[in-house]
Amino acid sequence: MKNKGIIIFLLILAVVIVAVIVGDYVSDRPNRSKPNPFAYDVNEFKTVDPDLIHYKESKNFRIGFEEPAAITIQNEKIYVTGDNRLKIIGLSGNLLSEFPLSGNPQTVEVLGEKIFVAIENRVLVYNEDGNILNEWQSLDENSLITAIAAAGTNVFVADAGMRRVIRFSEEGEILGEFDGKAEEGVLHGFIIPSPCFDLDINDVEELWVVNPGLHALENYTFGGNLRAHWKNTSMRPEGFSGCCNPSHFTFLDDGRFVTSEKGLVRIKTYKRSGEFEGVVAAPNKFVDQGRAPDVAADSQNNIYALDFDKKMIRVFEPKENTGL
């Protein structure tokens, strides 16, 4: 009798367990599951207060690339790469010239008459006729060059693959490198979760480097010593969000920053101090969850965004210049 009672108890327990498992399965189905109480809704940040938007899109033009890669502006001309080619375009969008490259480009920089193009882990130097002037020695096998900045006789390369900045002479000789550690014992260095690693030199020849994992911009001496930095982590317009932002940045002619973000795609400007100034283009101007546009600026502080998703260059002009 005692054994019979135990068996009945075990059968009832088994039925209860099966019922719980079935209930959990049904409730976890996509159309039956409960909303995640920790999910973060970014929709409220896709629309920006119009008073914060200081620029207006004045024109755009397609560039004929299936896979646009990078943009820079020098000598009142646009240099844009993609599809194993480089195109030189007037500021109004007229094609001036183009020539083939020896591989798939990642970034482009112009210093005087020299055009520096990164292809995987090496830099090639061209003139505007498409002639190769120099081909630098390849970096490490795991290196990936994502940005180039040049001033005077110095050329700086951002190596996302090895998480470092390399300083070259104009002829391609390595003069030094640094990995973003401010001092002995500081462990973070450059945190680069994805190949978004940018650098640039401003109007007073200060070298600034993005530390994307920290949502920070850091100012270094040419020798690699940290001088200053600023950061802002937030989903709100004044901050940076996601795993690695800002993805791209450039400078206006007065030293203000122009930043571009992926995920919640938007372009913004900041003062020299790092204080948020305003929005150039809000997220609702871009493809949802799209790529961060590469950015460049002309001498009139017009901002040129290379929109990878729409495969075009979009020009944003300060509203003060349009009378709006």
Side-chain angles (χ1 to χ4, degrees):
M1 191 71 177
K2 183 177 180 181
N3 290 339
K4 185 177 180 181
I6 293 174
I7 292 172
I8 293 173
F9 171 77
L10 292 175
L11 287 173
I12 294 173
L13 181 61
V15 170
V16 171
I17 291 173
V18 170
V20 170
I21 292 174
V22 171
D24 284 346
Y25 171 76
V26 172
S27 65
D28 284 342
R29 290 169 59 190
N31 61 340
R32 296 293 300 277
S33 59
K34 297 178 181 179
N36 179 4
F38 303 106
Y40 205 97
D41 185 6
V42 301
N43 288 325
E44 64 177 293
F45 300 105
K46 291 180 180 178
T47 302
V48 175
D49 182 346
D51 290 339
L52 292 179
I53 301 176
H54 298 170
Y55 278 72
K56 180 178 178 59
E57 187 169 4
S58 58
K59 59 186 173 183
N60 57 64
F61 42 90
R62 297 194 176 276
I63 48 178
F65 285 149
E66 285 301 313
E67 293 293 334
I71 186 174
T72 191
I73 294 177
Q74 289 291 336
N75 312 318
E76 296 299 303
K77 290 179 282 190
I78 303 168
Y79 300 78
V80 60
T81 61
D83 296 352
N84 293 354
R85 300 189 68 79
L86 184 144
K87 294 186 179 184
I88 303 174
I89 301 172
L91 295 182
S92 61
N94 55 308
L95 179 64
L96 301 176
S97 63
E98 64 178 301
F99 55 83
L101 302 172
S102 63
N104 187 36
Q106 281 106 237
T107 188
V108 60
E109 170 70 324
V110 177
L111 180 64
E113 301 299 318
K114 295 181 178 180
I115 304 171
F116 299 85
V117 178
I119 296 175
E120 296 179 352
N121 66 347
R122 72 188 193 278
V123 173
L124 292 92
V125 186
Y126 294 84
N127 63 17
E128 291 201 358
D129 295 323
N131 300 313
I132 296 180
L133 304 178
N134 198 353
E135 183 173 348
W136 295 0
Q137 182 177 354
S138 297
L139 300 178
D140 299 83
E141 182 180 353
N142 294 325
S143 291
L144 178 66
I145 299 171
T146 52
I148 303 173
T153 59
N154 294 282
V155 181
F156 293 89
V157 165
D159 179 356
M162 299 294 288
R163 299 186 298 278
R164 61 181 175 173
V165 172
I166 306 173
R167 178 188 178 192
F168 290 89
S169 70
E170 196 174 345
E171 290 72 38
E173 177 188 1
I174 294 179
L175 303 177
E177 64 177 74
F178 58 94
D179 59 7
K181 293 179 181 177
E183 59 187 29
E184 193 66 29
V186 177
L187 299 178
H188 62 72
F190 294 125
I191 300 175
I192 308 171
S194 68
C196 298
F197 187 33
D198 204 359
L199 51 73
D200 204 355
I201 297 172
N202 66 10
D203 58 318
V204 291
E205 296 197 355
E206 293 177 334
L207 173 65
W208 286 84
V209 185
V210 172
N211 199 334
L214 295 178
H215 300 145
L217 283 111
E218 302 175 346
N219 172 218
Y220 290 87
T221 66
F222 284 8
N225 296 317
L226 181 66
R227 298 178 57 204
H229 76 281
W230 59 271
K231 61 182 291 187
N232 195 328
T233 300
S234 174
M235 296 288 291
R236 300 183 63 80
E238 63 269 18
F240 305 114
S241 62
C243 73
C244 33
N245 274 316
S247 295
H248 300 283
F249 83 104
T250 191
F251 288 105
L252 299 176
D253 66 350
D254 56 7
R256 286 178 290 151
F257 297 85
V258 179
T259 65
S260 169
E261 297 165 74
K262 70 185 184 104
L264 188 63
V265 184
R266 53 193 179 186
I267 302 173
K268 300 174 294 188
T269 60
Y270 292 82
K271 297 178 181 179
R272 280 185 181 271
S273 61
E275 180 184 352
F276 172 69
E277 185 175 67
V279 174
V280 176
N284 57 13
K285 298 282 288 185
F286 299 101
V287 172
D288 193 31
Q289 293 296 312
R291 295 177 59 187
D294 196 2
V295 287
D298 65 19
S299 60
Q300 302 302 310
N301 289 332
N302 299 311
I303 295 169
Y304 297 69
L306 179 58
D307 190 323
F308 298 110
D309 298 301
K310 295 185 178 181
K311 306 181 191 308
M312 63 171 60
I313 294 175
R314 303 170 66 178
V315 185
F316 296 89
E317 185 177 349
K319 286 185 177 179
E320 61 190 36
N321 294 352
T322 63
L324 297 177

